[in-house]
Amino acid sequence: MGRSRRTIPEELLLLALDPTTGTTAQPQSLDLGLAGAQLVELALAGRIAPDGDRIAVVVPRPTGDPTLDSALELLRRRGAPVRAVHWIGGPRLGLRQTYLSHLERCGMVHAVPGQMCGVLPTTRYQATDTAISREIRSRLDCAIRTGVPPDPRTAALAALAHAVGLGKHLYPGNEGRSSRSRLRDLIRHDPMGGLVAHAVMDVQNGVAVQPRRGTAPAGRPAGPGARPGAEPARGVPMQPHHGSMARAAVH
């Protein structure tokens, strides 16, 4: 995989960065979303594929992206398809910081050191090129405004943005209510993105996912917004507490 295209985890993180404070919105659920975004990116690269509500490795060849390849190798070592909710709910310590450091090396953000309460060291991250964030946001806005089915990458990004609770960050207040609703509806345009987004919401809400019978064919949900073999999409996920530092040591 070349580096000419930003990955979905990178784009999700850039969407979550607050340009004013340099902190990430929805930090707790964002960590889950980044793990899910890795799955979507690996699926788009042809390395994994949905198998009902599980994820199967179909091509173990590395992508060339070290962070994605680490996830791919962990999936390969499982030896059998893993349930998406179990993968996303597993420990992902430092994943957000790994991507923040990567974006810093690529020159997309820069670190701003500071202190909390005048004592604890903190690090905030500011975008160095706001045009990149605007371009990502404009793709979501266009899909919401026009109703035209978006490309798989944008559909998956929208699904994950909804799943981690970024709707109120991107489209705040009563005036953003309809946009938040349409953001949620975009989940139906990408089967893999929908599967992963629902798994992220299940982990947040503590839903125990049991093996299901009579599921739709792999990667083909039974209806708009539905998971394979599951009920239609539920509403907005439970929201974790707000406000955090981007660095793993200070949330």
Side-chain angles (χ1 to χ4, degrees):
M1 174 184 296
R3 294 303 303 152
S4 59
R5 189 191 334 231
R6 294 181 301 272
T7 65
I8 293 177
E10 293 165 7
E11 293 196 328
L12 183 66
L13 186 51
L14 287 170
L15 274 180
L17 273 179
D18 189 305
T20 302
T21 65
T23 60
T24 53
Q26 304 292 74
Q28 294 173 330
S29 56
L30 180 61
D31 290 342
L32 301 176
L34 290 173
Q38 288 186 311
L39 294 181
V40 177
E41 191 66 47
L42 286 170
L44 289 171
R47 301 313 196 265
I48 64 174
D51 180 7
D53 63 351
R54 296 174 182 266
I55 304 298
V57 176
V58 293
V59 177
R61 185 177 68 252
T63 66
D65 180 305
T67 308
L68 290 176
D69 288 342
S70 176
L72 180 62
E73 176 62 14
L74 288 174
L75 286 166
R76 187 194 66 78
R77 289 179 184 176
R78 295 291 184 97
V82 59
R83 195 159 294 132
V85 71
H86 291 167
W87 170 262
I88 290 169
R92 293 291 180 273
L93 296 178
L95 186 58
R96 182 165 25 120
Q97 184 58 46
T98 295
Y99 273 107
L100 283 167
S101 298
H102 170 72
L103 290 177
E104 184 180 15
R105 288 193 301 272
C106 292
M108 286 189 258
V109 302
H110 69 276
V112 181
Q115 289 184 326
M116 176 181 288
C117 302
V119 178
L120 297 176
T122 63
T123 303
R124 299 170 184 262
Y125 290 85
Q126 300 285 349
T128 56
D129 187 352
T130 56
I132 295 175
S133 297
R134 288 198 302 270
E135 183 274 328
I136 298 169
R137 173 70 178 271
S138 69
R139 283 164 39 212
L140 293 185
D141 291 344
C142 182
I144 287 173
R145 184 178 63 255
T146 65
V148 176
D151 63 273
R153 300 184 71 83
T154 302
L157 181 62
L160 287 162
H162 164 70
V164 304
L166 288 182
K168 290 185 177 180
H169 169 69
L170 299 171
Y171 307 103
N174 288 332
E175 65 275 15
R177 184 177 300 173
S178 61
S179 293
R180 293 195 298 271
S181 177
R182 288 192 289 271
L183 179 70
R184 179 194 63 216
D185 291 342
L186 290 176
I187 202 171
R188 72 183 185 274
H189 290 295
D190 181 63
M192 185 65 178
L195 169 66
V196 169
H198 281 295
V200 169
M201 290 187 280
D202 280 343
V203 173
Q204 290 181 83
N205 292 326
V207 176
V209 178
Q210 300 298 327
R212 301 183 179 90
R213 296 181 179 179
T215 60
R220 295 176 58 188
R227 290 170 306 199
E231 70 279 2
R234 291 183 295 276
V236 176
M238 179 176 65
Q239 302 295 319
H241 295 294
H242 290 265
S244 79
M245 295 297 101
R247 191 175 291 274
V250 183
H251 295 289

